[in-house]
Amino acid sequence: MAARLQELAPSSAARGWVRSWSDDDGTARARAVLAAAFGEDAPRDGDESTGEDPDEVHVWAAPGRVNLIGEHTDYNAGLCLPIALPHRTYVALRPRPDSVVRLASAQAPGETWTTTLEDVAPGAVSGWGSYVAGVAWALREHLVAQGADPGAITGFDAAVDSSVPFGAGLSSSAALECAVAVALDDVAGLGLASTDAGRAALAAASIRAENEIAGAPTGGMDQSASLRAHAGHALLLDCRPGLDPVDSAEQVPFDLDAAGLALLVVDTRAEHQLVDGQYAARRATCEDAARTLGLDSLRELADDVAASDDPAGALAVALEKLPDDVARRRVRHVVTEIGRVRDLVALLRDGRPDAVGPLMNASHASLRDDYEVSSVELDVAVDAARVAGALGARMTGGGFGGSAIALVRADQVEAVADAVRGAFEREGIGAPGFLLATPSAPAERVA
């Protein structure tokens, strides 16, 4: 039923529905951008070993994500539970025999972004192209660390188009990075995308691109979801550093159709930025708190609390050791949120997805009150969805704007969306956007 709703929802584009594209549509769009920007003026080499036509432009795609629960836990070595969206970023990419990187995007019509691989380094490039060139830089660094030839990653022309809403907290940047990662992996013949361990390496490269080249201090959830999530499943991601990839991710069945449920995403269309200092400040507070407690990460505290005979008491004792109320609230969110991830996964494994609503509601309250990353728009969306019958609702993503999610009965999607739309109008807030999040496939070559 949810799949059918995904097809029907876009028919009401004027009412704010954002549709996903078929791979054929996304492929045609990306190729059209490449042709318009660069035409036939790029030097390139054929590949006689594969018999592929050197003039054929291949296309790769990677999904955005929503996080069911586990917010601001990834950079605290915690647990999170994202799913891949059906909405994808498409990248048409043509390798070059030199080191030049030229980029174009349907989201920046008439503009091109150009650099060389030698000029890409932390602090050296800026703009949206840094997310793309950063992946090439990180993969070259990966090859050096493996004792391989970094020259396997050459320059390229690439063009981008995307159905992942930009600035909505749905990981449009990670979708871009991961589409480029699988593209470069493919054209260089690295073979990383063929195994989960290799995909974990591609995720690590994409994370380095965002952290070190684009300058956004995000955790690793977004890239891992885009590269490692499976259709019909949520990805239980354990973000402790040093874990073997096999141990860091687990597929948890999340069949919305079978349960008669739908996951409604509300794009508040409020500005969402993670590079303005707010995200970094919270990350620094958590890292300082862990050091104060003599821990490598707050995950250690969360595990100790979970194992205690008196979890609430154990958490209270730890919080008293922190220097101020802000640190105590931030830590309380992280520890309780990791616990909520465990509880929600247990319900899914028990075949009770319709029982997870209270955990979603508690997560939003914690993000709003303790972590202070919600917004007026997010709170209005969550409250309106609940009043209209949602089983649970919460903000998703980093916050400071962006999107909320609501778990609803499949036959109530339009009613809940109408209620949220009406609440925004009454509050004098700009109209929201809507999409349906069905657990979808990871990054891959699509043409």
Side-chain angles (χ1 to χ4, degrees):
M1 183 180 291
R4 177 174 163 275
L5 284 167
Q6 183 72 49
E7 296 173 359
L8 294 176
S11 65
S12 300
R15 293 170 63 78
W17 286 99
V18 180
R19 72 178 185 91
S20 59
W21 302 337
S22 70
D23 286 339
D24 286 346
D25 190 8
T27 293
R29 288 169 178 260
R31 283 176 171 165
V33 175
L34 187 75
F38 306 124
E40 297 300 321
D41 65 344
R44 54 196 183 272
D45 293 330
D47 188 345
E48 296 180 0
S49 66
T50 64
E52 291 190 350
D53 181 353
D55 292 322
E56 182 179 4
V57 176
H58 296 299
V59 180
W60 295 260
R65 67 94 188 95
V66 292
N67 192 23
L68 296 178
I69 202 160
E71 225 63 79
H72 290 276
T73 56
D74 52 353
Y75 55 82
N76 287 297
L79 300 169
C80 46
L81 193 67
I83 64 171
L85 288 170
H87 299 70
R88 292 175 145 196
T89 292
Y90 292 83
V91 172
L93 187 144
R94 188 168 56 197
R96 302 171 58 100
D98 54 25
S99 65
V100 173
V101 174
R102 299 192 303 175
L103 308 175
S105 171
Q107 284 66 50
E111 300 177 12
T112 58
W113 191 97
T114 304
T115 191
T116 66
L117 294 176
E118 292 83 4
D119 290 333
V120 181
V125 292
S126 60
W128 73 269
S130 63
Y131 291 87
V132 175
V135 174
W137 170 85
L139 284 175
R140 285 165 69 96
E141 291 284 296
H142 169 79
L143 290 173
V144 169
Q146 298 296 312
D149 179 13
I153 303 296
T154 66
F156 54 91
D157 294 335
V160 180
D161 203 351
S162 182
S163 65
V164 182
F166 177 76
L170 302 176
S171 298
S172 58
S173 61
L176 174 60
E177 293 154 3
C178 296
V180 172
V182 292
L184 294 179
D185 172 66
D186 199 354
V187 299
L190 304 182
L192 293 172
S194 63
T195 67
D196 187 57
R199 283 176 172 264
L202 291 175
S206 299
I207 294 163
R208 288 196 69 187
E210 184 148 337
N211 290 174
E212 300 179 43
I213 303 300
T218 56
M221 172 183 66
D222 301 346
Q223 294 83 358
S224 295
S226 190
L227 281 157
R228 303 178 70 188
H230 289 182
H233 294 75
L235 181 71
L236 176 58
L237 191 64
D238 189 330
C239 299
R240 286 176 294 173
L243 283 182
D244 185 280
V246 174
D247 299 322
S248 67
E250 180 182 347
Q251 305 294 331
V252 179
F254 187 50
D255 191 341
L256 290 165
D257 282 352
L261 301 173
L263 191 65
L264 176 67
V265 181
V266 181
D267 176 5
T268 67
R269 294 177 173 165
E271 185 176 359
H272 169 80
Q273 293 286 341
L274 295 183
V275 292
D276 63 356
Q278 293 294 327
Y279 186 103
R282 280 155 179 78
R283 181 168 185 164
T285 296
C286 291
E287 291 170 351
D288 289 344
R291 282 192 290 269
T292 297
L293 296 172
L295 305 172
D296 290 332
S297 71
L298 294 181
R299 170 62 179 277
E300 295 177 37
L301 176 59
D303 289 348
D304 289 344
V305 166
S308 173
D309 292 334
D310 179 15
L315 178 57
V317 168
L319 295 180
E320 285 301 314
K321 298 176 182 178
L322 298 176
D324 57 71
D325 187 56
V326 170
R328 285 188 282 272
R329 286 186 281 117
R330 303 293 189 257
V331 170
R332 182 168 57 209
H333 164 73
V334 172
V335 172
T336 58
E337 185 79 346
I338 291 171
R340 284 185 285 270
V341 176
R342 291 188 171 110
D343 292 343
L344 195 148
V345 168
L347 288 171
L348 294 184
R349 287 173 174 157
D350 199 34
R352 301 172 60 199
D354 58 347
V356 306
L359 292 169
M360 296 174 66
N361 295 341
S363 174
H364 184 78
S366 181
L367 288 159
R368 180 192 63 211
D369 301 335
D370 278 349
Y371 224 67
E372 297 181 288
V373 293
S374 191
S375 66
V376 171
E377 295 87 351
L378 288 167
D379 292 342
V380 169
V382 166
D383 292 344
R386 291 176 188 166
V387 170
L391 302 180
R394 61 182 290 274
M395 58 157 279
T396 189
F400 314 110
S403 295
I405 55 174
L407 186 67
V408 303
R409 302 291 181 190
D411 59 0
Q412 294 182 317
V413 168
E414 283 289 356
V416 173
D418 284 344
V420 173
R421 191 180 295 110
F424 271 52
E425 184 175 353
R426 289 191 298 274
E427 294 292 332
I429 303 171
F434 301 96
L435 57 92
L436 289 171
T438 54
S440 299
E444 61 186 341
R445 177 166 145 177
V446 295

